[in-house]
Amino acid sequence: MRTNRREFLYHLSLSCGSILLIPACAGNDSEWRFFSNEEARIIIAFAEQIIPSDNDPGATEANVVNFIDKQLTGPYARHRNEYRLGISGIVSSSEAVYNKYFCDLDRDTQRDFMEQMESGKLPEEFWKEINQRTFFNMLLDHSMQGFYGSPRHGGNKNYASYKMMKLDYPHVIGQNRYVSKCATEKLRDT
Amino acid sequence: MKNKHVNAVVIGAGAGGGVAAKELAFAGLSVVLFERGGWATYNDHDDDELISQRITVLGNAFGPDDIRHPRVAVNSDGSTQVLRASQGEYSNNAACVGSGTVSYGAMGWRFMEKDFKMKSTYGHVEGSTLDDWPITYHDLEPYYEKAEWEIGVSGKSGANPFEAPRKKEYPMPPFAYNKSANLLADAAIKLGLHPFPIPMLRNSVSYDGRPACYRMRSCVGFACPVNAKNGTHNTVIPRAIATGNCELRTNCQVAEIIIDEKGRATGVKYFDENNRGRIQKADIVIVAGAAIETARLLLNSKSNLFPDGAGNNNDWVGRNLQGHAYTGAFGLMNYDVYDDVGPGATLALSDFNHYNPGIVGGGVLCNEFTPMPYHFSKIRPPGAKRWGAEHKDFQRNQFKKLIQLIGPFQEIPNFESRVTVDTGIKDYWGIPVARLSGTRHNYDLTGCKFMSERAEEILKAAGAVYTWQSVGGRGRSGGQHQSGTARMGNDPKTSVTNRYGQVHDIDNLFIADGSLHVTNGGFNPVLTIMALGYWVSDYIIKNWNGSKFR
């Protein structure tokens, strides 16, 4: 009973919220729920720096942007405005500092840019409506959630992070304590 | 339709309220047990870390929801903020049948004798309301025993040389140490300390018709998928209902205790599951909503004789909000110590609960619960990279090398750490919400530093190649271990209830939760709250004459 009412109220609040935000929402050509394709590209590049791909999948392969996009039409609907302002802050700062679009910066320069943002050193004129460090920390936190949280929220594809940390997945109830190592390995490979 | 008059109303189906409902129902009283949430099960959340009780970034799996239950916090600069229920500062316990006992880590501690006599042991601490309880450990001992046997604790009597005297063995044998506990035990013994297995409200063997725990890693913060973790939701509450004397009403928000012109409680006003305003009349009202909601309900229950809220004529309701300042240290071994034996915490050291030179009180140290992957992404030594290749590498290579020793420092209560009600912000039903203000006593930081240093020494002795301290004790108190807001005492001028949880001047209004705690011990408080549920109920039953109280 609780769940039903909760869900009802939740959807109610979303439908109210979205009325205001329709003009700013993803356009018709977007592959995403909330982001425009360009916004998604920026978030993907950003998240990939937070959790880069190496021998194990990084943020892109684990679908971190899908997690964030999905939450922005769910519990994180309250952060929509911050994302819009923050993304535009990233674009403008990158243009001003490097004379380039953020996604077109090479990886090392992107990282350098993000280090400046983390310590609040990007030009303040582009961060009047949202604090650059606040937005950095939010993106950092949401990327970690998308990579290390449960796949049921749209990220951590195929339990990529669990696999990396050598944790059994999925968690087989009543069995985890007793499966042989061989069986565990087999489970990981499927 | 009007509700039928009942003998007792119990508000809050958690640790204290669940016990009280069962005791009164068994004594033949008709009982209505109110719970603002519903039933929570493992199937509602799976092993989903992001809505678990420890990490609530996407919401509270165990309630309350973010929409209907705001609170207000007063910041240190005097500004205020409205809090969602899933925000950390909210100090959530839970809102479901069983409350925190569904998803807790389930440590089943008895407090020590000195925990009830903090002032006579340590004297006055400047700026604090540190005091003795009006009852002793020995008053509560039989009720601890009852809680251990009726709800179910696994442990070993005598394993902890510092434990208070106990008459009966635990009903179940203790849990075996996991790998990190074995390492820490050896190190601790070499240092002259006294490690022992943590008493747990989980089944080490099949008990009460439910199976033994199979030691899953996602235990703390989650409901148990096989029902081997013991809370009030799977023990005393079902038993209360089975008597036929207790009706559990879920999804009901109690708004006010009705106090008549003679200063007696006549029942409660509440909103039922369809949000209709209703009245439930009763001979006795027992409040067990946990320290914050209990204080809020008392403060919202204004009457001619109690214009500032029930039991609040001396301005003590909502005062002395305490919790636990968690403190300790982390370490990294140079080999894997993670053995997937959940939930991770198995070993305790009670050497630092008292008798620390120059320190008031102290706390227990335990090898901590296993962090889930997202939680672990925040566990880093000072100065470590927070993102990028280095952070990912740490996550990949150090997770199984982590060794932890952490515990709750016994907070020094103070008058300004408090719950009031906000005059401006109301919840979904129009009821003024709880407003949290004040901070911990500044002594807590001193105590936490002391404990973290001890923890780091032990980790080093266990062979950790790199260690760092995590020092608690700052900021606002409360949290899941919230307590102290309706303190029991002998003097009505400096307490809210007498030694039996009976509100001063309102003979048929009782408190049966952690709000009663004068001090909160250096241990997880749930078994003490359960014991108080039995203690308060016992007094009510002894004074019940078959139709009326007294």
Side-chain angles (χ1 to χ4, degrees):
Chain A
M1 276 178 289
R2 177 174 66 96
T3 317
N4 288 343
R5 179 161 46 183
R6 207 171 146 175
E7 278 175 3
F8 169 74
L9 287 163
Y10 177 64
H11 291 305
L12 190 72
S13 77
L14 284 185
S15 57
C16 297
S18 61
I19 290 166
L20 298 170
L21 284 156
I22 280 171
C25 267
N28 285 340
D29 61 337
S30 175
E31 297 161 26
W32 305 93
R33 304 167 187 83
F34 169 76
F35 292 131
S36 69
N37 288 337
E38 272 315 304
E39 287 169 331
R41 265 186 76 201
I42 291 166
I43 299 299
I44 288 169
F46 205 98
E48 183 64 21
Q49 290 285 350
I50 302 278
I51 306 144
S53 168
D54 46 25
N55 292 335
D56 290 297
T60 312
E61 286 164 89
N63 238 348
V64 165
V65 66
N66 185 53
F67 166 85
I68 298 175
D69 186 59
K70 190 174 171 187
Q71 302 319 314
L72 285 167
T73 58
Y76 289 165
R78 62 176 183 271
H79 293 311
R80 286 173 175 188
N81 199 36
E82 289 151 286
Y83 266 84
R84 288 265 133 84
L85 294 170
I87 289 170
S88 107
I90 290 171
V91 171
S92 320
S93 307
S94 177
E95 297 283 356
V97 179
Y98 297 105
N99 201 20
K100 259 190 176 172
Y101 188 55
F102 179 75
C103 296
D104 296 335
L105 300 175
D106 64 56
R107 286 181 63 112
D108 288 349
T109 315
Q110 273 179 358
R111 194 163 55 245
D112 183 56
F113 177 91
M114 284 169 62
E115 276 167 1
Q116 291 181 57
M117 186 174 163
E118 183 184 19
S119 48
K121 288 178 187 153
L122 292 176
E124 274 304 326
E125 54 186 299
F126 305 112
W127 298 96
K128 282 182 183 143
E129 288 181 274
I130 182 170
N131 182 297
Q132 52 185 297
R133 285 155 73 179
T134 305
F135 188 58
F136 182 89
N137 287 333
M138 184 186 289
L139 257 179
L140 170 66
D141 203 19
H142 292 176
S143 302
M144 294 295 178
Q145 290 165 15
F147 193 77
Y148 293 113
S150 169
R152 75 206 303 232
H153 300 295
N156 196 4
K157 194 177 173 186
N158 299 329
Y159 285 91
S161 62
Y162 279 50
K163 193 171 182 176
M164 175 183 101
M165 292 168 74
K166 300 191 175 58
L167 285 167
D168 296 341
Y169 74 94
H171 214 164
V172 184
I173 291 171
Q175 298 299 318
N176 285 49
R177 296 296 312 128
Y178 309 109
V179 288
S180 67
K181 197 170 176 211
C182 181
T184 315
E185 290 303 322
K186 207 171 168 186
L187 196 66
R188 284 205 187 102
D189 294 338
T190 48
Chain B
M1 202 178 74
K2 247 173 95 175
N3 283 311
K4 210 173 126 191
H5 179 100
V6 293
N7 296 139
V9 154
V10 180
I11 303 147
V19 166
K22 181 252 156 187
E23 286 296 284
L24 299 185
F26 268 63
L29 281 77
S30 55
V31 179
V32 168
L33 173 59
F34 283 109
E35 170 52 49
R36 66 186 167 132
W39 290 89
T41 70
Y42 182 80
N43 292 336
D44 298 333
H45 56 72
D46 208 318
D47 64 346
D48 182 348
E49 184 187 1
L50 302 182
I51 55 168
S52 73
Q53 186 73 359
R54 298 192 115 188
I55 303 286
T56 55
V57 292
L58 298 183
N60 291 328
F62 304 92
D65 61 76
D66 275 351
I67 294 164
R68 298 178 301 165
H69 303 267
R71 281 178 187 162
V72 171
V74 182
N75 302 321
S76 52
D77 62 2
S79 63
T80 59
Q81 56 171 327
V82 179
L83 302 168
R84 279 173 290 108
S86 63
Q87 263 176 292
E89 304 94 311
Y90 185 87
S91 266
N92 186 32
N93 195 328
C96 61
V97 179
S99 188
T101 72
V102 179
S103 59
Y104 59 7
M107 293 189 190
W109 295 108
R110 293 182 177 204
F111 286 0
M112 294 163 71
E113 289 163 290
K114 282 185 162 43
D115 293 330
F116 295 86
K117 296 178 174 174
M118 288 296 283
K119 190 170 184 186
S120 46
T121 304
Y122 295 103
H124 177 67
V125 175
E126 197 56 40
S128 86
T129 44
L130 192 70
D131 213 336
D132 292 352
W133 291 48
I135 58 174
T136 65
Y137 168 79
H138 298 279
D139 290 322
L140 215 50
E141 201 278 338
Y143 303 91
Y144 272 126
E145 180 184 299
K146 208 169 174 185
E148 285 169 351
W149 281 79
E150 288 201 2
I151 296 161
V153 180
S154 301
K156 176 115 183 76
S157 166
N160 170 15
F162 304 106
E163 76 180 355
R166 47 184 301 132
K167 293 198 179 74
K168 199 171 170 185
E169 182 54 275
Y170 287 100
M172 290 175 277
F175 281 92
Y177 286 159
N178 57 358
K179 194 168 173 180
S180 73
N182 277 311
L183 288 164
L184 289 165
D186 290 347
I189 289 165
K190 274 182 202 151
L191 292 170
L193 304 172
H194 304 83
F196 63 97
I198 302 169
M200 283 286 187
L201 284 144
R202 282 189 286 125
N203 295 344
S204 59
V205 292
S206 168
Y207 189 72
D208 181 37
R210 288 177 291 106
C213 167
Y214 66 86
R215 314 202 68 174
M216 176 176 171
R217 63 171 173 259
S218 47
C219 167
V220 61
F222 303 89
C224 179
V226 297
N227 223 0
K229 183 156 68 179
N230 307 323
T232 54
H233 63 296
N234 56 5
T235 57
V236 285
I237 291 172
R239 281 174 221 155
I241 293 166
T243 62
N245 294 335
C246 175
E247 181 193 342
L248 170 66
R249 286 190 201 147
T250 55
N251 297 299
C252 290
Q253 178 69 42
V254 176
E256 186 187 334
I257 305 154
I258 307 162
I259 312 285
D260 70 11
E261 294 300 323
K262 291 176 193 147
R264 289 179 68 86
T266 61
V268 295
K269 288 183 189 167
Y270 72 102
F271 292 92
D272 70 11
E273 59 181 346
N274 299 312
N275 302 312
R276 280 183 306 222
R278 308 282 297 268
I279 285 176
Q280 175 63 56
K281 297 212 163 188
D283 298 317
I284 304 169
V285 173
I286 299 161
V287 188
I292 295 172
E293 291 299 313
T294 287
R296 175 191 175 205
L297 180 58
L298 293 175
L299 293 170
N300 276 330
S301 304
K302 295 183 164 71
S303 58
N304 284 340
L305 287 173
F306 299 93
D308 298 318
N312 194 34
N313 284 359
N314 291 311
D315 189 26
W316 272 71
V317 172
R319 300 283 190 173
N320 309 306
L321 176 65
Q322 293 152 76
H324 278 124
Y326 265 78
T327 199
F330 296 103
L332 299 172
M333 306 295 285
N334 57 6
Y335 54 91
D336 285 1
V337 285
Y338 179 84
D339 52 4
D340 210 6
V341 175
T346 52
L347 165 138
L349 295 162
S350 195
D351 297 77
F352 308 113
N353 277 85
H354 292 285
Y355 310 106
N356 301 306
I359 298 287
V360 178
V364 70
L365 284 173
C366 301
N367 70 329
E368 175 59 358
F369 295 105
T370 303
M372 294 281 281
Y374 166 65
H375 182 180
F376 181 67
S377 78
K378 293 170 179 290
I379 298 177
R380 290 296 183 276
K385 283 291 283 182
R386 299 194 300 148
W387 54 283
E390 194 182 317
H391 181 275
K392 188 184 180 193
D393 235 26
F394 191 104
Q395 192 85 0
R396 178 170 40 214
N397 296 328
Q398 304 298 339
F399 177 70
K400 295 197 170 184
K401 297 185 172 68
L402 180 72
I403 189 162
Q404 317 169 81
L405 206 49
I406 289 171
F409 180 74
Q410 172 153 200
E411 291 182 6
I412 305 301
N414 78 84
F415 206 55
E416 296 307 322
S417 171
R418 64 186 296 204
V419 179
T420 52
V421 287
D422 197 277
T423 46
I425 307 295
K426 295 190 167 67
D427 68 10
Y428 176 80
W429 300 271
I431 312 163
V433 304
R435 178 183 170 102
L436 311 174
S437 60
T439 59
R440 291 187 167 97
H441 192 282
N442 56 21
Y443 186 82
D444 295 344
L445 186 58
T446 311
C448 285
K449 280 180 179 159
F450 168 82
M451 278 180 59
S452 287
E453 282 162 15
R454 301 292 81 74
E456 191 175 20
E457 283 165 11
I458 300 160
L459 294 179
K460 281 183 174 151
V465 290
Y466 193 83
T467 57
W468 68 98
Q469 295 177 18
S470 164
V471 181
R474 299 175 185 87
R476 200 179 298 121
S477 193
Q480 197 155 16
H481 293 186
Q482 56 189 259
S483 69
T485 56
R487 166 183 282 205
M488 54 160 62
N490 293 323
D491 182 354
K493 289 193 188 70
T494 56
S495 58
V496 177
T497 80
N498 67 11
R499 67 202 306 263
Y500 299 107
Q502 187 177 27
V503 174
H504 295 305
D505 302 328
I506 310 178
D507 287 348
N508 64 340
L509 176 61
F510 289 83
I511 314 284
D513 64 20
S515 311
L516 295 173
H517 293 193
V518 176
T519 49
N520 207 23
F523 300 99
N524 307 54
V526 72
L527 197 74
T528 302
I529 295 170
M530 290 165 173
L532 283 171
Y534 285 110
W535 163 261
V536 170
S537 305
D538 196 41
Y539 176 78
I540 294 171
I541 293 160
K542 281 177 179 157
N543 288 282
W544 176 255
N545 72 8
S547 61
K548 258 199 158 44
F549 188 69
R550 278 201 172 170

